[in-house]
Amino acid sequence: MPEKMRFELPGLVWLAVASLAALAASPAAACSLASDYVGPSNFEMVQIADAIVIATARREIKGEEDDTEVIFAIDSAVKGTPPPSITLSEARLGHPKPSNLDDLSRAHPESSAGMCNRYTFRKGGRYLLFLSRSPDRVWYDLGYPYTRTNEDYTGESDEWIRAVRRYLKLQQTRSPMEQLADLREMAATGRDQDGVRLSASALVDIRSHLGHPSPWKPTPYLLEALRQLDQTGAPGAGFRLPAIEETGLAHMLAEFATGSVPAASDSETDSMRLYLLKALVEGDHPAALPVFEALLAASKLDPERTGLALRFLAKNGHYPRAFQWIETKLMALLPSLSAGEAGSLISAAHAIQAGEGGEGKERWRSDAHAAAAWPELALALYWHSDRFYDNARPDMAAIRQIPVSDYRARPLLTLALGEGSDPAVVAWALAELNDEAKRQASELTNPIPWRGSLTLDPAYLPVRIILAAWSDDRDERLARIFCQGKARRRLLIAILGTHGGILQERIIARIAATPTLTQEERDLLGSAIVQYRARFPGRSDELHWDLAKQTLELMSGREAFAKAPSKPIVCPG
């Protein structure tokens, strides 16, 4: 994740990380999030922040690569004990539009672009910054997307600072349920806890928080919403869920504040229930255990809800029970599930094992039985997922715990390690392929039939590893394999068809542009391209050329190579 986003995001804040990586290079690009992203309310932002400060933007400095950062001097603390200064990454000095400090429902317009938070500040300008501190005491901005984490500060009379201080006072003096009761009183009377009349904007913000189920809400609030939903098909008067148009939830997630609850279909009610269950899993709600016990005891398996129940158990002191279910039931169930159902359970299993401690502190490491059993199970899940669902995300930290002294003895383990770019496995594969004596001896004693099994070739496993392992010079490595004789050339072409990915289009194009291919090799390349296309339907092949058209040309003769706009492979000698 980009530097500024390194904090614990509840699971309802599922970020489209690939999109964010691209956006980081272009602050003007539209902010892109997972469709079911739900951020904290303004009240919850005040609650979550380790510090809230009034700070002045001082100077811009160069960050990593071409990024810029802005150093702020902290003038005063509204909450917490911050350092004297803070550096915001992915930020710059400029001439931004001012914040709308009267409309509390929206963040600065720049939150809809770039990293989903405001990134331009005026030199010498003052800002209200929400900060968080990592376990190793590094401070950063609390960058939940689309939130008011770094708005302008113009003085103590603006609506935003008044709302922040109002919420902070409640949180420092009242229990969570008392806070909700006080806010309901404010919403009803139109006055704050000191009897001061609230503005229309402040009332909208309070009502929005009251009707906003989220992981940060008190457990009784969420359980009551779930009870109302189960009894009536709606979460009850005053509750609302985020209206996310992209997922089709906008109709059912209308505000319930008036007490007039619109009718909801069974599927809409089911989506509401799932949302509330996720909030209970992602937040700190150990008292909700009976809800998840009931899910596990249900006679009919619901993979998504079972996964949530297992995650809840693991997070709330019942990890051995969750792991036992994974160990004894998961692999047996997977063949009978759809791709989506299986993917849901596999994702839950990985989330359970990872825990919240980060790399090297995964949950499975602290349990003796899981530490012994999980690595092999993680390997089995990886290959099951890779074979059937094309969504394999291996737990490489666990798989690397499996001892291996002979890479050929356990090819599936070796391939998994290679696809994870394990340095030792990649070094072994390169050494095997560069051993000229082994290559010549193999070709003399083990001639591979033209249509024979690829796996009979001793070079098959090393070539697969080089094909899969990430490296800046991977194409050049593959080009060198192409030049290691006819057998290696045929093997590489065939493997590109059966296992090549979209990142290998460049080397496929270079092979097609190479005029020294024999007719047999052209035929094999044509077949390989057909296989490749079948595995990636809908690819536009923007990187190079239309492989479907090239397939026909390859079949028809050598003129295709003059048309391919790629650099041919030139072998030494």
Side-chain angles (χ1 to χ4, degrees):
M1 246 178 170
E3 183 69 26
K4 73 174 290 184
M5 304 298 285
R6 286 182 186 165
F7 48 79
E8 288 299 320
L9 293 177
L12 293 175
V13 189
W14 289 308
L15 300 179
V17 177
S19 298
L20 286 178
L23 290 166
S26 177
C31 179
S32 178
L33 298 174
S35 60
D36 45 7
Y37 165 74
V38 176
S41 67
N42 288 334
F43 185 93
E44 289 160 348
M45 283 287 291
V46 175
Q47 170 186 318
I48 294 165
D50 292 317
I52 302 172
V53 301
I54 298 168
T56 301
R58 291 300 187 195
R59 62 189 179 95
E60 180 183 287
I61 59 174
K62 182 175 175 54
E64 296 181 3
E65 299 180 351
D66 294 328
D67 296 334
T68 57
E69 302 174 336
V70 173
I71 297 177
F72 290 79
I74 293 178
D75 304 325
S76 62
V78 177
K79 175 186 178 182
T81 308
S85 67
I86 181 74
T87 300
L88 300 192
S89 60
E90 303 292 343
R92 67 189 184 192
L93 293 179
H95 302 283
K97 293 180 179 179
S99 300
N100 186 337
L101 298 176
D102 294 324
D103 181 1
L104 306 186
S105 66
R106 297 179 182 275
H108 190 276
E110 284 188 346
S111 66
S112 297
M115 290 298 295
C116 310
N117 289 124
R118 179 200 192 143
Y119 50 84
T120 307
F121 302 88
R122 179 176 56 83
K123 185 176 182 179
R126 303 183 79 194
Y127 300 92
L128 190 64
L129 305 182
F130 286 64
L131 307 179
S132 186
R133 185 174 62 179
S134 66
D136 56 354
R137 297 182 177 276
V138 174
W139 287 91
Y140 50 88
D141 58 321
L142 191 63
Y144 286 92
Y146 297 146
T147 57
R148 299 176 63 85
T149 187
N150 47 24
E151 303 294 330
D152 292 8
Y153 172 80
T154 60
E156 289 298 306
S157 62
D158 73 53
E159 282 291 332
W160 180 222
I161 186 63
R162 291 172 65 187
V164 169
R165 292 193 184 278
R166 181 184 306 120
Y167 295 157
L168 184 61
K169 181 178 179 181
L170 272 182
Q171 292 166 10
Q172 291 175 335
T173 59
R174 304 284 279 168
S175 70
M177 292 305 291
E178 289 173 337
Q179 294 166 23
L180 290 176
D182 288 351
L183 289 171
R184 290 192 184 99
E185 180 69 15
M186 293 181 200
T189 64
R191 296 182 179 276
D192 69 11
Q193 61 266 56
D194 296 323
V196 177
R197 183 174 295 280
L198 295 167
S199 69
S201 178
L203 285 170
V204 167
D205 196 53
I206 289 171
R207 289 168 181 151
S208 175
H209 170 70
L210 289 171
H212 178 85
S214 74
W216 302 277
K217 284 293 189 298
T219 306
Y221 173 105
L222 295 173
L223 291 179
E224 175 61 17
L226 194 61
R227 187 186 70 81
Q228 291 277 357
L229 187 64
D230 289 337
Q231 286 188 353
T232 68
F239 288 101
R240 66 177 178 84
L241 298 181
I244 305 171
E245 187 174 354
E246 292 79 3
T247 60
L249 297 176
H251 164 69
M252 71 172 191
L253 301 181
E255 187 166 350
F256 294 98
T258 62
S260 176
V261 182
S265 68
D266 290 343
S267 63
E268 291 171 341
T269 299
D270 194 56
S271 294
M272 291 185 193
R273 183 179 293 106
L274 186 62
Y275 174 90
L276 291 168
L277 291 173
K278 288 177 180 178
L280 287 167
V281 171
E282 299 300 339
D284 184 17
H285 305 289
L289 179 61
V291 171
F292 295 97
E293 294 275 18
L295 290 177
L296 284 177
S299 57
K300 183 180 179 181
L301 174 75
D302 183 309
E304 188 165 18
R305 283 158 176 74
T306 298
L308 288 172
L310 294 171
R311 287 176 56 197
F312 183 91
L313 289 180
K315 181 180 178 180
N316 291 280
H318 299 277
Y319 172 74
R321 285 179 58 197
F323 184 77
Q324 181 184 34
W325 193 99
I326 293 170
E327 186 179 23
T328 59
K329 296 184 179 182
L330 181 56
M331 288 303 296
L333 280 170
L334 289 178
S336 65
L337 301 177
S338 69
E341 292 171 334
S344 176
L345 276 176
I346 291 172
S347 295
H350 282 109
I352 288 165
Q353 305 305 352
E356 300 173 358
E359 188 172 354
K361 298 179 181 179
E362 295 89 348
R363 191 175 277 131
W364 57 268
R365 294 181 187 272
S366 61
D367 182 278
H369 176 69
W374 173 241
E376 290 286 357
L377 184 54
L379 179 64
L381 286 174
Y382 170 53
W383 283 112
H384 181 91
S385 182
D386 180 76
R387 179 181 178 188
F388 292 106
Y389 313 120
D390 195 31
N391 65 346
R393 292 181 176 86
D395 184 349
M396 293 309 305
I399 293 172
R400 290 191 185 101
Q401 299 300 307
I402 301 174
V404 54
S405 56
D406 180 356
Y407 288 126
R408 292 192 183 277
R410 297 200 60 183
L412 290 181
L413 171 59
T414 302
L415 281 172
L417 293 170
E419 292 181 2
S421 301
D422 182 87
V425 172
V426 173
W428 171 82
L430 289 172
E432 288 287 300
L433 294 171
N434 293 332
D435 192 319
E436 187 64 15
K438 282 187 178 181
R439 183 186 70 81
Q440 293 181 6
S442 172
E443 292 179 6
L444 286 174
T445 59
N446 299 293
I448 306 300
W450 180 252
R451 299 297 182 188
S453 173
L454 298 178
T455 58
L456 295 177
D457 190 331
Y460 172 81
L461 184 60
V463 171
R464 282 280 309 274
I465 290 167
I466 299 306
L467 188 72
W470 171 253
S471 168
D472 289 337
D473 64 346
R474 177 168 52 189
D475 282 1
E476 293 308 313
R477 288 176 175 177
L478 294 172
R480 288 194 291 271
I481 294 171
F482 177 86
C483 291
Q484 290 178 329
K486 292 183 178 180
R488 290 280 171 88
R489 184 175 296 193
R490 294 198 303 267
L491 179 66
L492 175 62
I493 291 171
I495 290 177
L496 282 167
T498 56
H499 293 94
I502 58 176
L503 296 180
Q504 278 80 52
E505 287 185 1
R506 187 184 302 275
I507 195 68
I508 294 174
R510 290 189 64 191
I511 293 172
T514 301
T516 57
L517 290 180
T518 66
Q519 184 60 50
E520 280 186 320
E521 290 166 345
R522 289 201 302 273
D523 291 343
L524 181 60
L525 180 59
S527 298
I529 290 172
V530 170
Q531 287 181 295
Y532 173 90
R533 293 288 296 182
R535 291 170 44 241
F536 294 97
R539 279 283 296 163
S540 62
D541 305 319
E542 296 172 355
L543 291 177
H544 297 288
W545 42 285
D546 187 344
L547 290 180
K549 180 181 177 183
Q550 281 289 348
T551 299
L552 298 176
E553 293 176 345
L554 285 165
M555 297 300 188
S556 65
R558 203 176 279 269
E559 67 272 10
F561 303 115
K563 298 178 182 180
S566 295
K567 177 183 177 182
I569 298 174
V570 179
C571 297

